[in-house]
Amino acid sequence: MKAPYSFTFYTASWYRRSPYWQRTVEAGCTSWDLYNHMLIPTLYDDDEREYWHLVEHVGLWDVAVERQVEITGPDAARFTQLLTCRDLSRCDVLQCKYAPIIAPNGGIVNDPILLRLGEDHFWLSLADSDAMLYALGVQAFAGMDVTIREPDVSPLQVQGPRSRDVIRSLFGDAVAGLRYYRCWGGDLDGIPVVVSRTGWTGEIGYEIYLRDGSRGIELWDRVMRAGEPFEIRAIAPSDQRRLEAGIFNYGNDMTIEDTPFHVTGMERLVELDADFIGKEALERVASRGVDRKLVGVELGGEPFRMWLEDFWDVRRDGEVVGRLVSASHSFRLQQNIGYVWVPIALAEPGTDLEVLSPDGPVAAITAPLPFLDPHKDVPKG
Amino acid sequence: MKAPYSFTFYTASWYRRSPYWQRTVEAGCTSWDLYNHMLIPTLYDDDEREYWHLVEHVGLWDVAVERQVEITGPDAARFTQLLTCRDLSRCDVLQCKYAPIIAPNGGIVNDPILLRLGEDHFWLSLADSDAMLYALGVQAFAGMDVTIREPDVSPLQVQGPRSRDVIRSLFGDAVAGLRYYRCWGGDLDGIPVVVSRTGWTGEIGYEIYLRDGSRGIELWDRVMRAGEPFEIRAIAPSDQRRLEAGIFNYGNDMTIEDTPFHVTGMERLVELDADFIGKEALERVASRGVDRKLVGVELGGEPFRMWLEDFWDVRRDGEVVGRLVSASHSFRLQQNIGYVWVPIALAEPGTDLEVLSPDGPVAAITAPLPFLDPHKDVPKG
């Protein structure tokens, strides 16, 4: 399976650069993606080498593209609750939530990590859509007293089995010991940061949210220095690792056309005790059920490379019934894995399918998510 | 002045392709940009050659990235009015408007061309931001009966002095004779389209909005065939030509941080007789005045190439006072031109400035917009 089509890309002033840009170039980054109107590293030297470094040591990702929507003001808690189907009455200060943002018709606007930094202080750490515009639209007639803005915040992810050592060396035991989906605010010798125990890998991992873009190089260098004993290196986000973990890529795997009930593993995120926009629409979906579903799939054929260049049709009994939206090769499972949209009747694990790759048909079978359970030992490659 | 930094870009399933993609590859496109999560041609062979073809003959642009927000339903007119500072009581059916979308605080959410296709049927033909999310947010509490969606619409631009001949050959005299900012709906031997007399050039030009993505190749081939006698060729949107015309690039020249009163030439678009979101904020700006302004600038030095790789600082009397956000070389004016943000005290045309290029300081002087008046004869190159 060949790598995706590539071409020469010219940078331009309309693509914002991260505060770490210069360091990613120096660290050997060779290709970037566009995400939230910014450049994000997508390949340094080799996706397989980067994958193994992530799962065996520790990797540093420039994810400044995770832009924050900051909501503050007397009505911040009530307003933020309007935006997401998670029940925020059960969200403590310094707690995080995987918090899908829901449109009036139940569609997914974005699937950020929500950070509650204070009683009246929230961040939505965005996937790739301009969800701040959604919040501003809601503000127009919600009649609530809130301030909505994009603060000067640029996250790094420190992910992998040695990430805890790196964070301990930088911030001490308490921060290194953060429970999953908890966060801490403070500074690193005067560099203002928030640190959360979250990430896009299923590995042990942390995010460091830099709160002053002018100090990006300084922070990057501090993290690299602290990580040296643990073999830290700059890598790109790993499509393989996030697929193993059953993590989604908004705008690709699911869009505003889909509700959380359409996506395996997101159903549990709809907490109907809360009052939020789109709740009635989701109640209707819940009672009627969905007609199609995003599910895991294992695929035959040669090892896939990198990521899909385009969606592939999915056939059952010779008829096109859905599409493959993500797929790559799990180097640990030694198996091609991905996500397919299928009619609900074909959503059960173990359903035989055929996907139409540009090189011909490939056998496929639906599978439970995640492919790798983070709470169990994983096979060594 | 060297060309912007470039690297190898890998396509991915999360970047949508236009229905014309295959034809743009065959026509020799060598580089694409990302815009509204889709790929848009940015360079075929040479930006100067493409510019001259545009201003002397006729060019065909794949601008399927101009995604539409469609607003329909009994309250469509009232709802659409909420979104924009233009007075839609003066917008006929089949009329278009350059219609900035305004946030509650007066910021610009997007600067689409609005098309009124029926009494209760509007399209917003978007620049690069997810403004549909803004409309969905407004819908949440506006209490109006509207349907908001992204229809299957993929525009082409046919721009340049011979564009009228091409449109006449395809659609006849009536469509070729459309007045500026008027549109027409119909079909081309069964291919459903809307045609508008609009474009991003200041040249005579049209947009053909394909209403069925499955027929993209067919439409492209029809346009190319009709254009053959007039030397039509596929080109990329021209940053030089749009700068000459005083046209803006949303997300680069101005953002949600700016109001129309901050941008030279957009002031006239605020029509305070209309009732829209952000009106009070804009009234406050109107009465207080703005503290900074986006204005035209002429620059010395060697001819600039393509477009800016990054913003450049702007100095006055040795102090940084603003930034250059767009600049390129007008091949007809034989002059570097661009846009700068400056304090209002320096916004008058004729103000001497200095911009800090990566190669050193460049003399600059503020200038009225547009650089080339489309209603006057333009110098021949």
Side-chain angles (χ1 to χ4, degrees):
Chain A
M1 201 62 63
K2 66 189 199 314
Y5 180 82
S6 67
F7 55 81
T8 300
F9 186 93
Y10 296 91
T11 57
S13 53
W14 47 90
Y15 305 121
R16 294 161 63 188
R17 292 180 185 187
S18 102
Y20 316 111
W21 163 265
Q22 191 52 40
R23 285 294 184 264
T24 63
V25 172
E26 291 160 1
C29 188
T30 54
S31 184
W32 286 260
D33 266 20
L34 268 296
Y35 196 98
N36 283 332
H37 312 279
M38 286 184 72
L39 292 159
I40 174 174
T42 190
L43 190 72
Y44 284 80
D45 47 3
D46 177 84
D47 60 330
E48 179 168 358
R49 198 148 41 215
E50 293 174 46
Y51 167 93
W52 284 114
H53 204 93
L54 168 65
V55 302
E56 293 181 340
H57 307 287
V58 52
L60 178 62
W61 299 357
D62 170 3
V63 286
V65 300
E66 294 174 5
R67 306 314 293 169
Q68 310 301 307
V69 178
E70 181 176 80
I71 301 165
T72 53
D75 295 323
R78 275 202 309 147
F79 184 85
T80 306
Q81 177 62 81
L82 286 179
L83 303 181
T84 178
C85 58
R86 300 306 303 275
D87 182 355
L88 298 187
S89 71
R90 293 186 283 156
C91 183
D92 299 332
V93 170
L94 297 183
Q95 187 173 354
C96 311
K97 293 263 186 192
Y98 181 42
I101 306 302
I102 305 297
N105 69 358
I108 306 169
V109 167
N110 200 290
D111 68 331
I113 302 298
L114 174 153
L115 295 85
R116 185 170 201 168
L117 298 176
E119 285 295 335
D120 298 330
H121 189 182
F122 294 83
W123 283 354
L124 305 174
S125 189
L126 294 184
D128 186 25
S129 80
D130 299 328
M132 188 172 79
L133 299 182
Y134 182 67
L136 289 171
V138 172
Q139 184 189 28
F141 294 107
M144 293 191 190
D145 185 1
V146 290
T147 300
I148 300 166
R149 64 174 196 129
E150 182 185 311
D152 174 9
V153 172
S154 304
L156 290 170
Q157 291 200 13
V158 183
Q159 301 282 316
R162 305 308 300 273
S163 61
R164 185 167 287 151
D165 300 302
V166 180
I167 295 296
R168 183 181 297 113
S169 157
L170 286 165
F171 299 101
D173 280 333
V175 180
L178 277 171
R179 276 186 294 148
Y180 198 45
Y181 273 68
R182 294 282 165 168
C183 63
W184 167 88
D187 70 273
L188 184 66
D189 295 334
I191 306 175
V193 296
V194 167
V195 178
S196 68
R197 178 80 168 68
T198 53
W200 206 62
T201 64
E203 298 291 324
I204 295 174
Y206 301 80
E207 297 185 72
I208 307 175
Y209 303 72
L210 171 64
R211 301 180 80 166
D212 176 355
S214 73
R215 307 190 70 173
I217 299 296
E218 221 179 317
L219 177 61
W220 177 280
D221 290 346
R222 288 293 302 264
V223 176
M224 287 302 264
R225 221 158 41 230
E228 224 169 80
F230 313 106
E231 299 190 52
I232 199 170
R233 64 157 287 195
I235 57 174
S238 168
D239 212 43
Q240 292 90 357
R241 185 62 191 89
R242 68 100 186 171
L243 283 171
E244 289 175 348
I247 295 173
F248 306 109
N249 185 7
Y250 181 77
N252 182 80
D253 301 336
M254 74 291 197
T255 72
I256 195 152
E257 301 293 322
D258 312 305
T259 78
F261 289 121
H262 289 88
V263 179
T264 299
M266 291 192 83
E267 309 90 340
R268 65 172 182 85
L269 305 173
V270 182
E271 298 177 317
L272 292 170
D273 286 344
D275 276 319
F276 57 89
I277 297 163
K279 179 178 172 176
E280 282 170 40
L282 289 187
E283 283 172 335
R284 278 196 301 275
V285 177
S287 70
R288 281 186 208 159
V290 296
D291 57 349
R292 62 200 167 80
K293 193 106 185 180
L294 184 73
V295 302
V297 68
E298 294 176 358
L299 306 109
E302 288 298 295
F304 291 6
R305 290 199 49 199
M306 297 170 68
W307 50 81
L308 287 184
E309 175 181 322
D310 215 342
F311 300 148
W312 296 350
D313 280 345
V314 171
R315 280 200 300 217
R316 165 86 174 178
D317 300 330
E319 233 178 295
V320 173
V321 294
R323 64 183 197 279
L324 180 76
V325 290
S326 277
S328 198
H329 189 72
S330 166
F331 302 109
R332 279 186 290 188
L333 298 172
Q334 300 187 7
Q335 169 75 56
N336 294 323
I337 57 175
Y339 302 143
V340 282
W341 279 101
V342 288
I344 192 67
L346 303 176
E348 278 301 304
T351 307
D352 285 311
L353 300 169
E354 191 178 59
V355 302
L356 296 180
S357 90
D359 300 334
V362 173
I365 185 167
T366 57
L369 293 180
F371 295 101
L372 266 183
D373 189 332
H375 302 293
K376 288 189 190 149
D377 282 329
V378 294
K380 294 292 177 193
Chain B
M1 202 61 64
K2 67 189 197 315
Y5 181 82
S6 67
F7 56 80
T8 300
F9 186 93
Y10 295 91
T11 57
S13 53
W14 47 89
Y15 304 121
R16 294 161 64 188
R17 293 181 185 185
S18 102
Y20 316 112
W21 163 265
Q22 191 51 41
R23 285 293 185 265
T24 63
V25 173
E26 291 160 0
C29 188
T30 55
S31 184
W32 286 258
D33 267 19
L34 268 296
Y35 196 98
N36 284 332
H37 313 279
M38 286 184 72
L39 292 159
I40 174 173
T42 189
L43 190 72
Y44 283 81
D45 46 5
D46 177 84
D47 60 329
E48 179 169 358
R49 200 149 39 214
E50 293 173 47
Y51 168 92
W52 285 114
H53 204 94
L54 168 66
V55 301
E56 292 181 340
H57 307 288
V58 52
L60 179 61
W61 299 358
D62 169 3
V63 286
V65 301
E66 294 174 5
R67 306 314 294 169
Q68 311 300 307
V69 178
E70 181 176 80
I71 301 164
T72 53
D75 295 324
R78 275 203 308 148
F79 184 85
T80 306
Q81 177 62 80
L82 286 178
L83 303 180
T84 178
C85 57
R86 301 305 304 275
D87 182 356
L88 297 187
S89 71
R90 294 186 281 155
C91 183
D92 299 331
V93 170
L94 298 183
Q95 188 174 352
C96 310
K97 294 263 186 192
Y98 180 42
I101 307 302
I102 306 297
N105 68 358
I108 306 169
V109 167
N110 199 291
D111 68 331
I113 302 297
L114 174 152
L115 295 86
R116 184 170 201 167
L117 297 177
E119 284 296 334
D120 298 330
H121 189 181
F122 295 83
W123 283 353
L124 305 173
S125 189
L126 294 184
D128 186 25
S129 81
D130 299 328
M132 188 173 78
L133 299 183
Y134 182 68
L136 289 171
V138 172
Q139 184 189 27
F141 294 107
M144 293 191 191
D145 185 1
V146 290
T147 300
I148 299 165
R149 65 175 195 128
E150 181 184 310
D152 173 8
V153 173
S154 305
L156 290 170
Q157 290 201 13
V158 183
Q159 301 282 317
R162 306 308 300 272
S163 61
R164 185 167 287 150
D165 299 303
V166 180
I167 295 297
R168 183 180 297 113
S169 158
L170 285 166
F171 298 101
D173 281 332
V175 180
L178 277 172
R179 277 186 294 148
Y180 198 44
Y181 273 68
R182 294 283 165 166
C183 63
W184 167 88
D187 69 274
L188 183 67
D189 296 336
I191 306 175
V193 296
V194 166
V195 179
S196 68
R197 179 76 169 72
T198 54
W200 206 61
T201 63
E203 298 291 324
I204 296 174
Y206 301 81
E207 297 186 72
I208 307 175
Y209 302 73
L210 171 64
R211 301 180 80 166
D212 176 357
S214 72
R215 307 190 70 174
I217 299 296
E218 222 179 317
L219 176 62
W220 178 279
D221 290 347
R222 288 291 303 264
V223 176
M224 287 301 263
R225 221 157 43 229
E228 225 169 79
F230 312 106
E231 299 189 51
I232 199 169
R233 64 158 286 193
I235 57 175
S238 168
D239 212 43
Q240 292 91 356
R241 186 61 192 91
R242 68 99 187 172
L243 283 171
E244 289 175 347
I247 296 173
F248 306 109
N249 185 7
Y250 181 77
N252 182 79
D253 301 336
M254 73 290 198
T255 72
I256 195 152
E257 302 293 322
D258 313 305
T259 78
F261 289 121
H262 289 88
V263 179
T264 299
M266 290 192 84
E267 310 89 340
R268 65 171 184 85
L269 305 174
V270 182
E271 298 176 317
L272 292 169
D273 286 343
D275 277 319
F276 57 89
I277 297 164
K279 178 178 172 174
E280 283 170 39
L282 289 187
E283 283 172 335
R284 279 196 300 276
V285 177
S287 70
R288 280 186 209 161
V290 296
D291 58 348
R292 62 199 166 80
K293 192 104 184 179
L294 184 73
V295 302
V297 68
E298 295 176 357
L299 306 109
E302 287 298 295
F304 291 6
R305 290 196 52 197
M306 297 170 68
W307 50 80
L308 287 184
E309 175 180 323
D310 215 341
F311 300 148
W312 296 350
D313 280 345
V314 171
R315 281 202 299 218
R316 165 86 174 179
D317 300 330
E319 232 178 295
V320 173
V321 293
R323 64 184 197 279
L324 180 75
V325 290
S326 278
S328 198
H329 189 72
S330 166
F331 301 109
R332 279 187 291 188
L333 297 172
Q334 300 187 6
Q335 169 75 55
N336 294 324
I337 56 175
Y339 302 143
V340 281
W341 279 101
V342 288
I344 192 67
L346 303 176
E348 278 301 303
T351 306
D352 285 311
L353 300 169
E354 190 179 59
V355 303
L356 296 181
S357 89
D359 301 335
V362 173
I365 184 166
T366 57
L369 294 179
F371 295 99
L372 266 183
D373 188 331
H375 302 293
K376 289 188 188 148
D377 281 330
V378 295
K380 294 294 177 191

